[in-house]
Amino acid sequence: MNKAKNPRNPRRMFSLLIIGIVVVAAGYLIARFVPERPVDYEAIEDHFKYGSIGSEPVNGLPYWIWKVLPEMFPEKLPGKGGYASFGFIYEQGRDLPIGVSQRRVTGIERVWLNCAVCHTSTLRETKGAEPQVILGMPANDFRLYLFIQFLREVALDNRLTSENVMAKIEEMGGNLDPIEKVAYRYFVVDRVRAALFELRQQLNFLDRQHPWGPGRVDTFNPYKAIQFNFPMDTLPAEELIGPADYPSIWDQRPREGMYLHWDGNNPSVQERNKSAALGAGVTPVTIDLERIGRIEDWLWDFKPLAYPKEITSAKAAEGKQLYGQYCAQCHGMQEGDQYLFDTGRFSRLGKVEPITAIGTDPGRLNSYTELLSVNQNTLYVGYPWRFKHFRKTHGYANMPLDGLWLRAPYLHNGSVPTLRDLLEPAENRPKVFYRGYNVYDWEKVGFISDVAEEDGHEFFKFDTQVRGNSNAGHEGEAYGTSLSGAQKDAMVEYMKTF
């Protein structure tokens, strides 16, 4: 007699159970490790300060590696305070500084840089005043050179082991789950160390440069090394010293079509934005166009802060006449509460002034080459946003000057501390001064530059005799440096209105 089939056959039930477990486990692993999860912010200001632009997946640090490095290697920092010693700005109640974003990638929280790290700074009205965070302003105290060198030094330190990192994470109250503990112990730390060592090799040329100082970056030499594997050891010496100040990034709409980016190498705002994002660690594959687009939309019409102190109107009116005579054709001007970007009225605004005419330091110009422009124009091939406007020039751009009071120090390489100093011939400008101090000089318009140290924090001694730091140029009869002292004071008074 045949036995009736039992719908609850144990072997069948066991098979279904195994299949169910595999499906659930696979679903969990896919849900955990496949999707990327950037930390988003509703307010655009918070998104600018802390939102992701896509720099974390390839170049970011795992969150807990970021947290433990200053604790494990405090002797390699330039001062006390962890990452704040590099000029990172921390707001109360925030775990990460301004300019550092977070994204979950392959199941691990990772952090890295965004636009705000180079374009946000602080200002104090007086020594005793609280610092005011100003968005879109050049990062006056961010010491990128030292931050990179810190990471390069960490790569060589034998204490960077998974055992030591895990012990420090536990000491700091890290809340890794079991899977993260396995990942950190057997994979993450070793991979980070290898990546930092590769970074060290790629940027060996930094050891042949002078420290850039706060508020400055050599934009294109790291770009050549990291993006295009240029043979940095074979580049001519005059090409290797190209530090320049971070620019302000407000009011981008009227800048579209102008040849800016210090040397006028591109008239497209969006290409310059995407190129700058590469410098922050984004790659052509990981770039987050949606989130960068939020920032771009905001910056089109984001205005700089108005000068907050009283302006002497009669003196400013006198200065306006002089400025119109000497400066407006190249830089535009302020009328009422509007800055005029009218390239029809100001024929040289947003165009390149030959280096032979302006005579300022050539380092930044020489660091950008024809070969680099050709390589840049191959980026994003196959996409509508492929680069196609980069070009080599032979001078520096005539920049609009809106929000000028917040853009000190002056000239493209930040070699002149105040506006008043810039109106002097080079021989009368400060030869040595200090950068990174955020107390404002309301009389000369710029930051106070004769303070070497405050509360144990040492400021950067900027020597204009160092290669790439020359404060020469932009001087002579055509530039107003031959005017009387009173006339120069009047021009400064007018430029406070920008």
Side-chain angles (χ1 to χ4, degrees), residues 23 41 86 139 141 168 199-200 214 232 246 283 288 311 320 334 379 385 404 420 459 463:
V23 169
Y41 301 86
F86 296 111
D141 192 28
K168 181 59 71 175
L199 178 74
R200 179 179 180 84
M232 303 303 291
Y246 298 116
T283 73
D288 191 329
I311 297 174
K320 181 179 179 181
Q334 184 86 11
L379 289 172
W385 52 90
L404 185 59
R420 187 62 180 81
F459 302 106
D463 186 347

Side-chain angles (χ1 to χ4, degrees), residues 363-482:
R364 165 63 179 79
L365 177 64
N366 292 340
S367 74
Y368 190 81
T369 63
E370 184 75 35
L371 181 59
L372 177 58
S373 71
V374 170
N375 276 269
Q376 280 184 293
N377 286 326
T378 67
L379 289 172
Y380 301 110
V381 169
Y383 294 96
W385 52 90
R386 174 185 176 174
F387 289 174
K388 49 191 174 188
H389 294 100
F390 280 99
R391 61 170 194 163
K392 170 62 182 171
T393 73
H394 300 283
Y396 289 115
N398 293 323
M399 311 285 270
L401 302 183
D402 52 325
L404 185 59
W405 72 282
L406 291 169
R407 291 157 64 171
Y410 297 100
L411 292 182
H412 74 276
N413 61 350
S415 59
V416 183
T418 70
L419 276 182
R420 187 62 180 81
D421 292 320
L422 184 59
L423 289 174
E424 293 294 328
E427 62 183 12
N428 294 338
R429 297 168 183 168
K431 302 291 187 296
V432 175
F433 62 95
Y434 293 92
R435 292 188 54 140
Y437 195 47
N438 66 355
V439 176
Y440 206 74
D441 183 339
W442 300 102
E443 180 181 354
K444 299 180 74 174
V445 181
F447 291 97
I448 291 175
S449 58
D450 59 354
V451 175
E453 179 270 342
E454 182 182 271
D455 298 333
H457 182 75
E458 295 182 358
F459 302 106
F460 182 78
K461 187 177 182 179
F462 189 96
D463 186 347
T464 59
Q465 301 303 305
V466 169
R467 190 169 188 171
N469 291 1
S470 171
N471 64 351
H474 201 274
E475 58 184 322
E477 181 69 29
Y479 296 90
T481 58
S482 301

Side-chain angles (χ1 to χ4, degrees), residues 16 30 48 213 242 332 334 453:
L16 291 174
I30 291 172
F48 175 70
Q334 184 86 11
E453 179 270 342

